[in-house]
Each structure stands twice: as C-alpha cells, then as structure tokens.
C-alpha cells in the first residue's frame, strides 16, 4: 500500500494559479521526475510529484488482470484522488490542474483522469494506455470538456502496445477530450525531445 509522500518544486501551492502533478514510472523516483518540469513551460506552476512506495505503483504489467495488481493499484488511485482533493481545497479549479506521467506513471495518469473526467488543464502521457487485461469502460465517467490530452509512444514499445494506445485515445475522444497521439517508429522507451516540444505547444502554451 502506498503512503502519501509528495515532493514539490516551483511555486508554493497556495501561491500558484496552476498545478502540474508528475507521476513517475516503475523504478523511478518522484524527486528525480520533478526535473521533467524544467523542460516544460511551467515556470509559474506549483509542481507536485507523489512517490510510489518501493518505487512501483503496481507490481505487474498494466495489461495484467486487475486482481493481479491489487491492492497496490487501488491504493495508487487513492493517492491521486486525495492529492486532487488537496489541490482543489486551496481554491485551484480543475481547469488549472495538469497531469504528466511516464510509462507506468503514464498508464496510472490516464486511468485516473478517465475515471474522474472533467475539464483539466491538460494531460501528457509519455508511453501509456488505460489499465487492464481489457479496457473496462464501466469504470469511466464524466466529460473532459475539450481537455487537451497527449499520448506519445514507440512502435514497437517493450511495455505498451500501440493498439492499447489507440484504443485508449478512442475512449478519451468519446468522453470529449481533445486527443493528440504521436507514435514514433523504433523509438526507445523514453521521453523524446519531440514529445516535449509537442506537449509544450499543445498543452503548456
């Protein structure tokens, strides 16, 4: 189970008008992932990065049956739910709250925002898709109200099949998100400079 451990950078939450939540990948650390914000147009943002206990949000592949990733998976979603509530309690509205995640963190990001669809500032999923051995549409509700959502991935990628990226994008569009997908041929499992540029133009402009 995950403890609520949040690393911060940028503006103080109570002084900021916008917030970026950064969700690290498997084996990654929130502290190190804060550095991603330096490459994004977020100099006026409060940056919050939750840390997964034991550096992993859930134990198995995001394509495994849900039960095989419990109880860590539900616990990870709860951490994000609490964090979103904490941010809103400071008076910051959802359209000024942004999310970005990489790999396992990108999957968790997409799953969380789709379960809680509303007008967010924007979402960047660097190599990710909705979680499960299949897509459980009954878990998703709300209206993104034109939230810009970017998903980038490699083809092939060692962890995330292109089909799951495309199927996830379709669900997001059905829920009224403004989705941009970029698939890179033979790109390593990483965040590319091109993705940073696209995200800055599309979401953090």
């Amino acid at each position: 189970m995950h403890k609520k451990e949040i690393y911060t950078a940028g503006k103080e939450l109570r002084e900021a008008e916008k917030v970026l939540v950064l969700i690290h990948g498997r084996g990654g650390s929130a502290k190190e992932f804060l550095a991603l914000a330096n490459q994004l147009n977020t100099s006026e943002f409060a940056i919050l990065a939750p840390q997964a206990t034991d550096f992993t949000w859930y134990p198995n592949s995001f394509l495994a049956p849900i039960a095989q990733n419990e109880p860590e998976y539900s616990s990870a979603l709860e951490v994000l739910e609490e964090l979103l509530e904490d941010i809103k309690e400071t008076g910051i509205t959802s359209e000024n709250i942004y999310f970005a995640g990489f790999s396992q963190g990108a999957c968790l990001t997409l799953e969380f925002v789709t379960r809680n669809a509303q007008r967010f500032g924007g979402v960047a999923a660097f190599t990710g898709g909705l979680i499960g051995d299949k897509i459980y549409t009954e878990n998703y509700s709300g209206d993104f109200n034109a939230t810009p959502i970017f998903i980038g991935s490699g083809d092939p990628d060692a962890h995330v099949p292109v089909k799951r990226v495309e199927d996830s994008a379709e669900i997001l569009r059905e829920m009224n998100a403004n989705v941009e997908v970029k698939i890179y041929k033979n790109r390593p499992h990483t965040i590319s400079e091109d993705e940073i540029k696209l995200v800055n133009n599309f979401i953090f402009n």
Side-chain angles (χ1 to χ4, degrees):
M1 302 294 276
H2 299 286
K3 300 190 302 286
K4 191 166 145 200
E5 186 182 352
I6 313 295
Y7 289 83
T8 63
K11 290 203 155 191
E12 286 289 327
L13 185 57
R14 295 191 178 276
E15 293 170 8
E17 291 180 8
K18 295 184 175 185
V19 180
L20 170 60
V21 177
L22 289 175
I23 304 173
H24 69 79
R26 185 189 297 274
S29 86
K31 211 171 187 177
E32 288 172 10
F33 201 49
L34 283 173
L36 178 64
N38 299 332
Q39 300 177 65
L40 303 172
N41 299 330
T42 55
S43 57
E44 295 301 303
F45 285 55
I47 315 293
L48 305 180
Q51 175 65 53
T53 301
D54 299 327
F55 305 97
T56 300
W57 291 111
Y58 43 85
N60 295 302
S61 163
F62 85 111
L63 298 170
I66 299 292
Q68 291 179 14
N69 278 318
E70 294 292 12
E72 293 89 345
Y73 171 58
S74 291
S75 175
L77 290 170
E78 278 169 29
V79 167
L80 295 186
E81 204 168 307
E82 278 183 39
L83 184 56
L84 181 59
E85 281 170 21
D86 291 346
I87 294 167
K88 286 184 171 181
E89 275 174 18
T90 68
I92 296 170
T93 54
S94 64
E95 61 266 25
N96 289 315
I97 301 171
Y98 297 70
F99 292 86
F102 170 63
S103 191
Q104 190 184 58
C107 297
L108 187 63
T109 297
L110 288 173
E111 185 68 26
F112 176 73
V113 298
T114 312
R115 285 169 177 252
N116 299 276
Q118 53 203 282
R119 180 50 162 101
F120 291 115
V123 179
F126 298 106
T127 312
L130 293 168
I131 295 173
D133 48 319
K134 65 186 184 81
I135 292 179
Y136 292 90
T137 52
E138 64 271 20
N139 290 332
Y140 308 135
S141 63
D143 185 332
F144 279 113
N145 196 18
T147 297
I149 300 181
F150 171 83
I151 311 176
S153 200
D155 179 19
D157 181 83
H159 306 285
V160 180
V162 171
K163 181 156 186 354
R164 179 55 62 96
V165 171
E166 291 168 345
D167 290 348
S168 300
E170 198 48 48
I171 301 276
L172 298 168
R173 289 188 184 106
E174 285 168 10
M175 295 174 70
N176 205 17
N178 176 15
V179 184
E180 189 169 305
V181 174
K182 183 83 185 274
I183 304 296
Y184 299 84
K185 273 283 173 203
N186 300 313
R187 191 209 63 189
H189 191 72
T190 187
I191 300 174
S192 67
E193 280 181 32
D194 188 66
E195 285 174 293
I196 295 291
K197 196 188 301 177
L198 282 173
V199 163
N200 275 327
N201 288 336
F202 182 50
I203 295 172
F204 300 106
N205 51 2

